[in-house]
Amino acid sequence: MGHLAELRHALAMTITEIGAEPVWFENFGGRDDDAEVAYLGEVASSTIYLDILGREYGRLDRARRLSATHAEYREAERLGLPVTVWVRDQADMNADQFNFLSEVRLFHTTGNFTDAEDLARNARRRFDEMAAEAVSPWAKLGEVVFRTKKIVDNGATITIHGSVHDGRVVAALEAMRPNTFHNQEVRVTWAGRSTAVRVAQVQTTTTASRVSQMELILERVESRGSGSFPMTASFSAGGKSYTSDDLAVLDLRHMLFREEKPQGLLSLGGSIRDFAQDLPTGPIPTALYEAVFALLTTEALVESGRALRVHKAQVSPVGPDGRRVRLAWTGHTNRGSNAPTTVELEGLMS
């Protein structure tokens, strides 16, 4: 807040200009909370954590023995927020600040800047990239995952438009064209939805840029997991009753976080396919990992009849303890009503 005041103001103005809300300490105003509670609470209320690292580390907080910025960064990591870090004066950093930067660079790629104008310009470009990643719809058709431009669902047919750069993906989609011997049922999953379909048409337009413009027309098929056969029974074990939503949470916590299920608990039907083994491995951008994770989770939950629709499937970058996962979906109640329920789950996937 001292020697970085000009930079902080420039960033706050940039964030406002793109239509977002900057959350910064200078704008907190009077409140009852002490400073530590205030700044950590505001991290939890935010969508993206942006960090500027200058020369100074800052005053230590007695309870945590970290600077305010260091404590904020670790809270952002714990919450699984997207983190973007910008660095200046690395050559002249004091020792504590350099150690902090070394910790950050274990898990994040940092950017450099020269002055307030350069920082604002670079940060804005990064915000645009993050926004583009967030709004581009991804789809999974059978075993093929690809980014689309537009998906239109009229209740009877689903039309997918996309620009595909990978020839292998183009070939796999074209192989789904119906013919006399082949028109099998597959699942399509996108934006929290998943349903059984048959491929009616695959049209490919190849341009001079070698990008294939694809249009796929899919016909809905009434099938188990499309929402027609919800899993709503309850089960008991060890004197405790579990709803179908409870069982879905237990299944997912076992798959993702390796937590043990209660002994003696048996369920009939509606089990969730273990999709964790299909998650990407190796170095992969967080946005791509999250897209695939969301598709696999949605497909498994809806296909099993445990969910009607998935509303949230967030995965953080890899942190010291793994990736933080947040899930929310519309489930089924069996407590005297067939009204949908909202189910949430959160944890660390190592």
Side-chain angles (χ1 to χ4, degrees):
M1 294 175 62
H3 68 288
L4 298 182
E6 180 187 359
L7 300 175
R8 293 165 65 85
H9 183 267
L11 275 178
M13 295 305 99
T14 298
I15 292 167
T16 301
E17 288 169 4
I18 66 173
E21 180 184 354
V23 180
W24 53 324
F25 200 87
E26 290 91 328
N27 205 35
F28 280 10
R31 59 178 66 188
D32 292 334
D33 297 330
D34 65 27
E36 180 183 351
V37 172
Y39 65 70
L40 293 183
E42 294 296 345
V43 172
S45 73
S46 301
T47 308
I48 298 170
Y49 180 72
L50 189 149
D51 203 352
I52 318 169
L53 297 184
R55 178 180 183 278
E56 303 294 333
Y57 180 69
R59 186 177 59 189
L60 290 179
D61 173 86
R62 289 189 177 183
R64 297 173 179 268
R65 297 188 179 183
L66 299 171
S67 71
T69 305
H70 202 158
E72 285 179 342
Y73 166 76
R74 288 194 176 177
E75 180 70 359
E77 275 209 326
R78 188 188 71 81
L79 294 171
L81 299 184
V83 172
T84 177
V85 181
W86 301 90
V87 182
R88 189 180 72 172
D89 302 332
Q90 178 180 343
D92 196 32
M93 278 184 173
N94 63 35
D96 287 340
Q97 185 75 329
F98 185 80
N99 290 338
F100 177 23
L101 174 60
S102 299
E103 176 185 331
V104 170
R105 284 180 169 167
L106 282 175
F107 304 103
H108 305 281
T109 300
T110 60
N112 298 315
F113 66 94
T114 56
D115 54 26
E117 183 179 351
D118 186 40
L119 174 61
R121 181 172 54 250
N122 291 339
R124 180 161 193 155
R125 184 174 63 248
R126 179 58 187 140
F127 292 147
D128 289 342
E129 292 171 352
M130 296 171 81
E133 292 165 355
V135 301
S136 297
W138 286 80
K140 181 176 185 290
L141 182 62
E143 298 303 312
V144 185
V145 173
F146 57 104
R147 176 175 263 164
T148 73
K149 295 169 61 178
K150 182 173 65 173
I151 301 175
V152 180
D153 179 11
N154 66 11
T157 62
I158 300 166
T159 304
I160 300 178
H161 303 266
S163 299
V164 181
H165 297 258
D166 193 317
R168 295 168 298 176
V169 175
V170 173
L173 293 174
E174 289 179 337
M176 297 184 188
R177 286 179 174 138
N179 55 49
T180 305
F181 308 101
H182 172 78
N183 191 15
Q184 66 182 11
E185 179 181 316
V186 294
R187 290 198 74 82
V188 62
T189 304
W190 81 105
R193 309 166 179 86
S194 185
T195 189
V197 295
R198 284 193 175 89
V199 179
Q201 181 178 326
V202 177
Q203 179 175 301
T204 307
T205 303
T206 304
T207 65
S209 62
R210 297 183 181 179
V211 176
S212 296
Q213 304 296 330
M214 308 284 296
E215 180 182 271
L216 296 89
I217 300 177
L218 316 173
E219 298 174 345
R220 283 181 176 269
V221 176
E222 287 298 324
S223 176
R224 193 192 189 294
S226 65
S228 301
F229 301 96
M231 185 64 189
T232 58
S234 61
F235 304 88
S236 298
K240 183 177 179 180
S241 179
Y242 296 87
T243 68
S244 60
D245 292 337
D246 295 331
L247 294 178
V249 170
L250 290 173
D251 281 347
L252 287 173
R253 297 197 74 87
H254 176 68
M255 292 177 204
L256 299 175
F257 313 139
R258 303 306 176 196
E259 296 181 5
E260 294 296 326
K261 297 181 184 179
Q263 291 186 352
L265 179 62
L266 299 175
S267 61
L268 303 176
S271 60
I272 301 173
R273 178 179 62 82
D274 188 353
F275 61 89
Q277 59 188 346
D278 297 328
L279 289 169
T281 58
I284 182 172
T286 300
L288 179 56
Y289 188 97
E290 184 175 68
V292 176
F293 176 85
L295 290 170
L296 291 173
T297 304
T298 298
E299 182 182 61
L301 272 168
V302 176
E303 184 180 29
S304 70
R306 300 286 188 180
L308 295 171
R309 182 170 175 174
V310 175
H311 303 290
K312 179 190 296 183
Q314 297 177 337
V315 183
S316 76
V318 178
D321 300 315
R323 296 182 187 268
R324 180 163 292 275
V325 172
R326 287 192 181 91
L327 289 172
W329 65 90
T330 299
H332 308 281
T333 184
N334 57 359
R335 299 181 185 274
S337 169
N338 287 324
T341 57
T342 298
V343 189
E344 297 183 346
L345 176 150
E346 182 176 340
L348 278 170
M349 182 170 61
S350 59

